[in-house]
Amino acid sequence: MKKNYIQAFVLILIISVFTSCSDKDDEYTPVSPVVVDLTQVPYPKLSDYKFFEGEMKDLVPALNVIPYEPSSVLFSDYAHKKRFVWMPPGQKATFDGDAKILNLPVGAVLIKNFYYDNVQPENVTKIIETRIMIRKDSGWIFADYVWNAEQTEAFLDLAGSYTPISWKDENNVIRNVNYRIPSEVQCIVCHKQRVEIPGGEVTTYIPIGIKPQNLNYNYNYGSVSKNQLTKWIEQGYLEDNFTFPSAANTVVNYDDTSKPLESRVRAYFDINCAHCHAQDRHCDYRPMRFAYSETGSANGHANMGVCVPTADMQDFPTAYSSIIKPGNVDRSMLYYRINTTEESYRMPLHGRTLIHEEGVALIEEWINSLTSCP
């Protein structure tokens, strides 16, 4: 009997050893739940993509959905934003220049959530919309998802709409906005570019913020703070065959008062204005070229409109005969247009209905610092 017990024990031990080895050989590899079928997108609901874990309103990214943030951000009526990127397994973006958007692979998705904290009267966080761009074989497409009042789901809606928001800002001041959710046509205005092809030109759509110059700084990923370009490379989302932008070519945070005033203004123009005021973009018929890469050279001030005559006065007061009049905001057309809510005159054309008070103050300080024409 004792011999039988010993034989059984040895047999169990042998089986457990082989089972253990087999388990190591077949070690489980987690798989991202994200679903992006290019023949079916855009889906009718945001949850169909499975970008987020748990309660969707918490915006906890699923496996391989990684957050990112440009160094300077587009003003959108004081809405906060949480941005994410996802790419299909084995696919990577490629580098095309410090100031050019990363070339993302087919199947890639950019996800941007717009929300307010301390929304009244409940003093809660409320997500308004989630805009996504999807790279298909034919190019980028738009999809905008509007969140329901329960914050349980967001539904595809490219028609555009308004939603009133009352929130308490960082200074405990109650503010109000009739927040504008853009239509697809309005999205196109800011994201379109003309491309020359044999026999003519075509209009394509592109993202705005995912340029190496905007991502070349540390982001807090929770467990670690790391350069975003490094993170993308380690994630397998970006080819590792380029030199990171130099300090001079890296866009600063325009809110960072430790940075030079002019660098901050250049950063503000780059993210808020350059997507339209660039070659082959919506406002390329105007002389201004607001890209960060075009405002740091000998022609930088001219590209920002300093002492450049206003080409089309329309119904503007005659005092605004220059885009930027050194030392005089009351004679600077640019200052007037960023400091008004009149839809026919305000700049940018889309994306805001309120005045960006801090941005206006930054531009005013810069204009007052100028003393002469280039």
Side-chain angles (χ1 to χ4, degrees):
M1 182 67 69
K2 183 177 181 181
K3 182 179 179 180
N4 289 340
Y5 279 132
I6 293 173
Q7 288 176 338
F9 175 76
V10 171
L11 180 61
I12 292 171
L13 182 62
I14 292 172
I15 291 172
S16 66
V17 169
F18 277 102
T19 303
S20 176
C21 293
S22 176
D23 288 345
K24 288 181 180 179
D25 292 340
D26 300 329
E27 187 173 336
Y28 173 70
T29 301
V31 177
S32 175
V34 174
V35 179
V36 180
D37 182 345
L38 295 182
T39 68
Q40 300 296 317
V41 294
Y43 297 132
K45 304 189 304 296
L46 182 61
S47 62
D48 293 334
Y49 298 90
K50 304 186 187 306
F51 290 137
F52 305 108
E53 295 180 341
E55 284 195 79
M56 194 167 65
K57 68 178 182 179
D58 294 333
L59 301 179
V60 177
L63 181 65
N64 296 335
V65 177
I66 64 171
Y68 74 94
E69 184 174 317
S71 49
S72 277
V73 298
L74 176 70
F75 174 72
S76 304
D77 281 348
Y78 293 103
H80 300 299
K81 300 163 191 174
K82 287 186 179 180
R83 305 165 183 80
F84 302 90
V85 59
W86 178 86
M87 298 187 202
Q91 302 297 309
K92 297 182 180 183
T94 56
F95 174 85
D96 193 30
D98 293 347
K100 295 184 178 181
I101 63 164
L102 293 169
N103 184 25
L104 270 59
V106 171
V109 185
L110 297 170
I111 309 147
K112 184 158 64 170
N113 305 277
F114 293 72
Y115 67 97
Y116 288 87
D117 288 328
N118 305 316
V119 174
Q120 302 302 300
E122 294 89 359
N123 214 45
V124 296
T125 295
K126 183 175 182 180
I127 309 172
I128 309 302
E129 58 169 328
T130 297
R131 303 178 195 174
I132 71 173
M133 293 187 71
I134 305 170
R135 178 75 185 270
K136 301 184 78 170
D137 286 313
S138 56
W140 288 95
I141 67 167
F142 307 103
D144 200 353
Y145 293 86
V146 179
W147 285 69
N148 60 14
E150 297 78 19
Q151 299 283 275
T152 56
E153 186 59 271
F155 299 91
L156 180 65
D157 186 346
L158 288 168
S161 59
Y162 288 89
T163 183
I165 297 291
S166 177
W167 83 99
K168 185 183 296 184
D169 68 13
E170 291 79 0
N171 298 314
N172 289 323
V173 175
I174 300 298
R175 308 192 67 156
N176 298 280
V177 64
N178 197 20
Y179 181 91
R180 186 174 192 173
I181 298 170
S183 67
E184 184 175 24
V185 171
Q186 290 165 340
C187 292
I188 287 172
V189 168
C190 293
H191 287 272
K192 69 181 179 181
Q193 71 168 359
R194 294 188 303 276
V195 177
E196 296 291 336
I197 61 172
E201 65 180 26
V202 295
T203 297
T204 61
Y205 310 135
I206 59 171
I208 292 173
I210 53 165
K211 302 172 184 176
Q213 66 177 19
N214 296 337
L215 301 176
N216 188 34
Y217 80 101
N218 282 8
Y219 179 88
N220 185 359
Y221 292 95
S223 59
V224 65
S225 180
K226 183 174 292 187
N227 182 287
Q228 293 183 93
L229 296 173
T230 299
K231 174 67 174 180
W232 284 42
I233 290 169
E234 293 177 353
Q235 182 73 24
Y237 278 5
L238 180 60
E239 294 284 359
D240 185 13
N241 59 356
F242 65 97
T243 302
F244 284 14
S246 66
N249 290 344
T250 297
V251 177
V252 304
N253 180 352
Y254 62 71
D255 285 328
D256 186 351
T257 57
S258 72
K259 301 299 183 183
L261 174 61
E262 185 147 314
S263 296
R264 295 169 60 207
V265 171
R266 290 171 56 211
Y268 190 87
F269 285 158
D270 179 86
I271 197 64
N272 285 283
C273 312
H275 46 272
C276 283
H277 290 276
Q279 190 62 38
D280 298 322
R281 302 296 178 85
H282 186 72
C283 295
D284 68 351
Y285 58 93
R286 301 295 191 195
M288 292 79 73
R289 293 294 179 264
F290 286 124
Y292 199 76
S293 58
E294 296 184 85
T295 55
S297 64
N299 294 326
H301 275 192
N303 285 341
M304 287 191 280
V306 179
C307 297
V308 173
T310 301
D312 183 4
M313 290 299 296
Q314 300 179 46
D315 297 323
F316 293 107
T318 56
Y320 300 114
S321 58
S322 293
I323 303 300
I324 297 290
K325 181 73 171 178
N328 195 334
V329 295
D330 294 327
R331 291 185 174 273
S332 297
M333 177 66 80
L334 184 148
Y335 181 83
Y336 172 78
R337 300 192 74 170
I338 65 171
N339 198 32
T340 181
T341 57
E342 171 57 49
E343 190 166 8
S344 300
Y345 299 147
R346 72 182 179 221
M347 285 289 171
L349 291 170
H350 302 300
R352 78 168 181 91
T353 59
L354 301 178
I355 292 173
H356 186 195
E357 296 168 6
E358 296 80 4
V360 169
L362 173 65
I363 303 307
E364 180 175 1
E365 182 182 359
W366 173 67
I367 292 174
N368 287 337
S369 76
L370 301 173
T371 58
S372 62
C373 292

